[in-house]
Amino acid sequence: MQAPALTFSDDQAEAYDRLTAAFLGAGIDLTEATLSPMAEGRTSVLAVVGKAGSGKTMLLAEMYRGLKAAGVEVISGDYEGRKRKDRRTLAILAPTNKAASVLRLRGVPATTIHRILYTPVYDPEYEKIAEWLAGNGPRPSVEGLTDVALDRAFAFYQQVASIPGALAAAGLKGSDFIKGWKRREEPLDVGFVDEASMLDERQLDDLREIFPTLVLFGDPAQLAPVGSSGEMVFDKLGESRKLVLSRIHRQAEDNPILDLAHALGDERLGFEEFEAMVQAKARADDRVVWAERVEAGLMARSPVLVWRNATRVRLIQAFRNAYGAPEDELLPGEPLICDGIELPLKHRKKRIDLEARGLIKGAQVIYLGEGNREGFARLHVVGAEEPQVSAASIIKIEKPDEEEPFIPHAARMGAAFLHGAAVTIHKAQGSQWEEVQVFAPDLYAAAQSGRSEAGVPLWKRLAYVAITRAQHRLYWVVRNRLARPQAPLSIDDLRGAPAPLELGEASPRLSGDLD
């Protein structure tokens, strides 16, 4: 079997061939670019595993391109066309909005697992436009929309394959065309899951119900989900179901951040020796910084990564003090982390509305200001395709040495948030930032504790995950100090996104602009 023109390493080429053979058995011939109907009752779960820099994302992207060239239809979270018996489909998923956005930036149309579990219900009149844009129907005539508006929608869709974005370009509001959300009832076909180390057994079971052919892409050196005894879902697959990528690729070989990450695989390496390596890298390459203090200016968009909750709370308080934030309210630009949805079970539809817009546990959010209704906050959901929403919010600010958090912003029920200027390394999994600050005193504490996970010292797993969150520059912070910001908090970098979609007790509707 012949690999594509892209230069693969031997282990990538072997993985590509084995995946190609698996797809052939499922009726998708990548070599001949032909499709057969999906066979009933056939299931397969495979895993592609490898450390950072081993080429998992490159392989995922190439498999996506091969499936698309063979005629497989890519399913997104924003619209699903009408069913056809002969069609074959692919959905590319990630556990969080931020992880999905990392793939989208690389040209891979990823969405969150939640957006596949729940699908939007479109108004039939506007569904005609969606079908036309997706190439499944003729150009429609819709009352209230001019040909110019339809042309704008078409032009947008050619640049960005987003049905909601295209309809917004035509001048429509979200409440015009999306009438609600429903749990997926029928299975799909092929599913790719990136950052699979974050999956728990329940999520995997949900995915197996939907996808007869499922491929997991994960890093075995990361932290396992909390409560899983250090085991990841792909660890339970037989060795014949796992495709291991071990070679570090050329584009990663000259990366001091990945050098440090892979050095942690040396069983003989202790914490002090590792810190000496960090210091040496910092002297030789400005992509690694030996930092004597935390930079408050970076924390607004890139949280400090810590191990201990007490450290997280202290750093958040120091951040708010540095920016002069009042105790009883938030400043526009403060970062938040979604801590789940606080709604009674009878409000299932409202929960789905909030989660479908990206407000899932662990989502990174920027506070924009008060909403137009009491208890509502305007928010920017980092990594979401439609990032700005106005939602009923319960925002909690934890303080050192105080058991109960202060709540400067409280609806009776809705999306709950914690401050996001500092987050635990566990919560940071699946995310990446251009620049990342790692709070080294916490990792030293983990090393001193002597704890391990799945036979690996805990500090090494923590350090590996924290380091590999950095795309361009790593700050290794060695002192419990904070450098004051050089400029006030701002939301200028978030302007230009669509106006916030309001989510709450009424039907979704658009609120005003940011200004």
Side-chain angles (χ1 to χ4, degrees), residues 158 212 412 427 442:
Q158 300 312 301
R412 289 178 300 168
K427 271 196 166 64
D442 260 22

Side-chain angles (χ1 to χ4, degrees), residues 45 49 57 76 88 143 159 168 223 243 275 287 358 397 442 512:
V45 180
V49 298
T57 302
S76 72
R88 304 301 304 269
E143 185 178 354
Q159 297 295 319
L223 294 157
L243 317 177
E275 278 215 319
R287 288 174 288 180
I397 305 296
D442 260 22

Side-chain angles (χ1 to χ4, degrees), residues 289-321:
V289 178
W290 182 268
E292 295 289 338
R293 62 189 68 200
V294 176
E295 293 289 337
L298 291 176
M299 295 169 72
R301 297 294 181 269
S302 174
V304 181
L305 304 187
V306 304
W307 174 45
R308 297 176 291 193
N309 263 317
T311 306
R312 179 180 63 84
V313 173
R314 285 199 307 272
L315 283 169
I316 288 169
Q317 191 62 42
F319 170 86
R320 301 200 79 234
N321 290 340

Side-chain angles (χ1 to χ4, degrees), residues 51 197 219-225 229-232 234-235 261 264-265 307 425-426 429 443 446-447 451-469:
K51 292 186 178 181
S197 59
D219 186 337
Q222 290 196 13
L223 294 157
S229 303
E231 194 171 45
M232 300 173 189
F234 47 74
D235 291 333
L264 292 162
W307 174 45
I425 295 168
H426 267 97
Q429 283 200 149
L443 298 186
R451 290 170 56 179
S452 64
E453 184 180 283
V456 178
L458 177 60
W459 78 266
K460 288 189 173 182
R461 283 194 179 271
L462 290 167
Y464 178 88
V465 172
I467 286 169
T468 54
R469 300 312 92 201

Side-chain angles (χ1 to χ4, degrees), residues 275 278-279 289-294 438-441 475-481:
E275 278 215 319
V278 175
Q279 198 164 24
V289 178
W290 182 268
E292 295 289 338
R293 62 189 68 200
V294 176
V438 178
F439 194 72
Y475 293 79
W476 187 261
V477 181
V478 296
R479 296 284 184 271
N480 190 12
R481 299 173 182 169

